[in-house]
Amino acid sequence: MIRTNLLRIIKTGFQNFWRNSWLSAATISIIVLTLFVMTSLLLLNVITQSVVADLENKVDVSAYFNSESPENDILAIRQDLIKLSEVKSVEYVSKEEALKQFKERHKDNQTLLQSLDELDDNPLQASLNIKAQSAAQFETIAGFLEQSKYASLVDKVNYHQNREVIERVSNLASNIGRGGIIASLVLALMAIFITFNTVRLTMYNWKDEISVMRLVGASNWYIRGPFVVEGVIYGILAAMATLIILYPALYFVSPKITSFLPEVDLLYFFEVNIGQILMLLVGVGAVLGSLSSFIAIRRYLRV
Amino acid sequence: MIYFENVSKIYNCNGSSDPCVALDSINLRIRPQEFISLAGPSGAGKSTLLKLLIGEEKPTEGKVMLDNQNLNLVSLKHLPEIRRKIGMVFQDFRLLANRTAYENVAFAMEAAGDSNKEIGQDVPQVLDVVGLADKRDYFPHQLSGGEKQRVAIARALVHRPSVILADEPTGNLDLLNTWDIIKLLLKINELGTTIILATHDRDIINNLSRRVITLDKGKLIRDEQKGRYIL
């Protein structure tokens, strides 16, 4: 009997869906809107995160060493730095390396190169270029390098010159993160309320039918079941519709974003994660549709 | 067997300090296979009496018994089981708009968990009894008032209930259809089902010459075998 009832509930759910195709279409379009907003927020997060990560990557701290500091000591400091949890990577640039880079960078400026050749000695300093896990940690790293035991070796740490830029980037990163979460929550909540209200209006339309079902002896579950099934169908179709709209949209928009922010490729992200995105959309859509029906129908079942 | 024992129903009227008395100390006993007309003007309490029987309302005082079961004590969850023992017919038909005549009748059986085989046998049979075998695939909006009411009667009948309650079943019908419906109810009564017919139609009651219970302003004022409509 349970099996028969379950089959009947599912069948009725599909039947209601078809016979009220206009109402179904309207509800689905609202859920599509919700899912579209949610996916857009997700993609926006991908953009901001990679922009922030890129900015953080560009910021580093360099420690310059006195000309007479032996290379071995510098490499020892490098080993010490790598052991710190805040440090992501440390690159050693020797005096010769620094000279080569300098000449490369200024190869168009003949005057500068000539005056460099005038000198007998290499005027450039060996340095360590340090990247931190996040911009907020440079303070600690700079403090580590300024310990007295390194004082004879280290000439200067350029953190203090870059300090303002670094702080700004680190503030920006955390603000974008926090603001993004709040904006996402607010927008998602709005979308959920709109969906819920749409489903509630649909249910209002059904309230007389529901009372008739009660009066001819249907149990609450038997009445509610088809509506929940319908909600799940809404969710699945809405998820697929969202993907179908999103794909061509990204196809056109993504190259434009990439030309602004070379490190962001939304289309690639979308294609790689399409399975997970689909599952997320179907899940959110189905839960939204069925839960809204479930809650909205409750008040009409007390007959 | 149906008993009403000292039953009162008082509604809370919005905005008024006086309570609205719909039923006032009703005592009533209805034997199986009776055909009873419930007479009285609008607002006399006829519908409230029927609502108490299907558990749509609970009495403020007293108790309503159906087949030795006290309806006051039945929870919302177990009401469907009671309602499968009672067939209900309404003035406004109350059919499911997006289901065909056949599906409307089948719904009552499906909801009760009857097997597809039983449904396949019983529904055509009942539609045949009410004379709608050829319109089984019509939707309610494609049927006339009389036909809709016959679908509703078929739906009430399909559980083989011991009682059918009909609340002004002819209120929305013309004269010809009215008599078709009354004859149908009489036929069902002859086959052994108790019928309680609430109506304010003088002609119906006078022509039936069956037991008549008259209500006025919530009070039972007359109970006669072979009664007439007198107010």
Side-chain angles (χ1 to χ4, degrees):
Chain A
M1 188 171 137
I2 290 173
R3 213 179 80 101
T4 327
N5 276 347
L6 207 64
L7 282 176
R8 276 175 192 162
I9 284 172
I10 294 171
K11 189 187 143 210
T12 313
F14 274 93
Q15 212 171 43
N16 287 350
F17 179 81
W18 277 121
R19 288 188 181 170
N20 302 289
S21 38
W22 269 107
L23 211 57
S24 305
T27 314
I28 287 177
S29 57
I30 294 292
I31 300 182
V32 166
L33 223 59
T34 308
L35 295 180
F36 195 81
V37 168
M38 284 181 158
T39 341
S40 308
L41 288 172
L42 182 83
L43 293 176
L44 199 69
N45 256 338
V46 172
I47 295 181
T48 51
Q49 262 167 26
S50 60
V51 168
V52 167
D54 192 59
L55 271 179
E56 285 191 333
N57 252 331
K58 279 184 182 143
V59 175
D60 60 7
V61 156
S62 299
Y64 295 93
F65 293 87
N66 296 324
S67 310
E68 57 274 14
S69 301
E71 193 165 57
N72 279 347
D73 287 355
I74 298 174
L75 287 174
I77 294 177
R78 179 170 180 263
Q79 287 308 317
D80 289 345
L81 276 170
I82 287 174
K83 283 185 205 132
L84 294 179
S85 63
E86 290 91 348
V87 172
K88 194 157 129 198
S89 68
V90 186
E91 187 197 1
Y92 171 61
V93 181
S94 64
K95 285 170 71 104
E96 295 72 35
E97 187 72 26
L99 185 64
K100 215 168 99 191
Q101 281 176 9
F102 184 87
K103 282 183 174 165
E104 178 65 30
R105 205 174 325 146
H106 298 284
K107 63 180 177 217
D108 299 329
N109 191 337
Q110 285 305 319
T111 343
L112 196 65
L113 289 180
Q114 271 166 21
S115 57
L116 198 62
D117 285 337
E118 301 281 301
L119 297 167
D120 321 329
D121 215 5
N122 178 357
L124 294 172
Q125 292 174 310
S127 65
L128 287 176
N129 291 330
I130 305 151
K131 292 208 158 95
Q133 302 287 1
S134 88
Q137 290 160 333
F138 281 118
E139 179 96 53
T140 331
I141 296 168
F144 177 82
L145 285 167
E146 281 158 357
Q147 292 175 88
S148 52
K149 64 173 173 175
Y150 300 137
S152 59
L153 302 169
V154 177
D155 178 35
K156 63 170 194 252
V157 178
N158 75 347
Y159 168 70
H160 298 286
Q161 286 117 43
N162 293 347
R163 185 175 190 155
E164 209 172 314
V165 179
I166 290 172
E167 273 176 359
R168 213 179 286 167
V169 169
S170 107
N171 275 342
L172 191 69
S174 68
N175 278 344
I176 287 177
R178 210 177 310 138
I181 289 171
I182 292 171
S184 306
L185 276 181
V186 169
L187 277 172
L189 223 67
M190 272 163 59
I192 287 170
F193 276 128
I194 291 172
T195 308
F196 178 69
N197 272 323
T198 311
V199 174
R200 223 170 54 144
L201 285 177
T202 316
M203 284 297 148
Y204 183 78
N205 204 38
W206 282 95
K207 77 178 167 62
D208 291 332
E209 304 262 303
I210 291 168
S211 77
V212 172
M213 292 179 191
R214 281 285 296 172
L215 290 179
V216 299
S219 69
N220 278 355
W221 271 106
Y222 194 76
I223 298 171
R224 192 179 250 164
F227 289 106
V228 175
V229 170
E230 225 181 316
V232 173
I233 302 174
Y234 289 163
I236 293 170
L237 289 183
M240 296 205 282
T242 310
L243 274 196
I244 290 170
I245 297 170
L246 213 56
Y247 191 82
L250 278 183
Y251 189 83
F252 287 111
V253 170
S254 178
K256 296 205 169 78
I257 294 177
T258 309
S259 67
F260 271 120
L261 308 160
E263 64 280 358
V264 181
D265 188 349
L266 278 186
L267 192 63
Y268 177 74
F269 173 84
F270 188 71
E271 279 170 345
V272 167
N273 296 304
I274 194 155
Q276 275 158 298
I277 292 177
L278 182 66
M279 263 179 354
L280 184 79
L281 290 183
V282 168
V284 171
V287 168
L288 202 60
S290 55
L291 203 67
S292 302
S293 307
F294 188 90
I295 296 171
I297 199 176
R298 223 172 30 168
R299 57 185 308 184
Y300 301 125
L301 286 174
R302 299 197 187 109
V303 180
Chain B
M1 193 73 112
I2 295 167
Y3 289 104
F4 280 75
E5 215 177 280
N6 218 7
V7 172
S8 296
K9 176 69 190 177
I10 298 162
Y11 289 105
N12 273 328
C13 298
N14 294 335
S16 152
S17 53
D18 300 326
C20 301
V21 181
L23 289 175
D24 190 0
S25 317
I26 302 287
N27 282 294
L28 191 60
R29 187 187 170 118
I30 297 166
R31 282 176 295 278
Q33 301 185 17
E34 271 193 294
F35 190 117
I36 290 184
S37 302
L38 210 52
S42 298
K46 305 188 296 286
S47 294
T48 306
L49 199 104
L50 298 185
K51 279 180 181 170
L52 291 175
L53 269 175
I54 54 168
E56 201 178 339
E57 300 283 356
K58 298 245 184 237
T60 318
E61 258 175 65
K63 63 180 178 182
V64 182
M65 302 284 289
L66 171 78
D67 295 340
N68 295 323
Q69 197 167 14
N70 187 344
L71 292 183
N72 302 7
L73 306 178
V74 177
S75 69
L76 206 60
K77 195 175 158 223
H78 292 287
L79 268 181
E81 292 148 34
I82 301 291
R83 286 169 181 169
R84 287 170 208 157
K85 286 201 240 171
I86 304 176
M88 184 87 195
V89 180
F90 305 91
Q91 177 175 0
D92 54 355
F93 321 125
R94 304 220 190 157
L95 298 174
L96 302 172
N98 62 345
R99 290 172 200 246
T100 64
Y102 181 94
E103 287 166 347
N104 261 287
V105 179
F107 179 81
M109 290 186 82
E110 287 169 3
D114 293 331
S115 74
N116 288 331
K117 198 177 147 214
E118 288 171 283
I119 294 174
Q121 273 171 2
D122 292 0
V123 177
Q125 227 171 50
V126 183
L127 282 174
D128 203 32
V129 169
V130 301
L132 281 179
D134 54 334
K135 300 209 163 160
R136 48 175 279 173
D137 292 327
Y138 284 44
F139 286 92
H141 65 90
Q142 296 165 317
L143 296 170
S144 74
E147 286 166 339
K148 279 187 228 181
Q149 196 58 291
R150 279 187 275 162
V151 175
I153 291 175
R155 178 179 66 188
L157 206 55
V158 80
H159 285 312
R160 299 191 185 88
S162 51
V163 191
I164 286 187
L165 311 179
D167 190 1
E168 304 273 8
T170 59
N172 284 0
L173 302 180
D174 60 31
L175 210 60
L176 210 66
N177 276 308
T178 296
W179 282 107
D180 277 349
I181 295 296
I182 298 299
K183 276 184 217 152
L184 188 56
L185 290 175
L186 282 168
K187 183 166 131 195
I188 293 164
N189 178 240
E190 273 164 29
L191 297 172
T193 307
T194 312
I195 306 266
I196 302 178
L197 168 70
T199 183
H200 56 233
D201 188 323
R202 184 185 302 269
D203 289 338
I204 295 175
I205 290 172
N206 290 347
N207 279 297
L208 275 172
S209 61
R210 300 286 183 111
R211 183 177 170 194
V212 177
I213 293 165
T214 312
L215 294 176
D216 191 26
K217 292 177 187 141
K219 287 199 166 69
L220 199 161
I221 56 169
R222 206 171 290 124
D223 184 354
E224 300 168 313
Q225 301 295 329
K226 305 219 173 209
R228 291 181 62 79
Y229 189 99
I230 310 163
L231 262 182

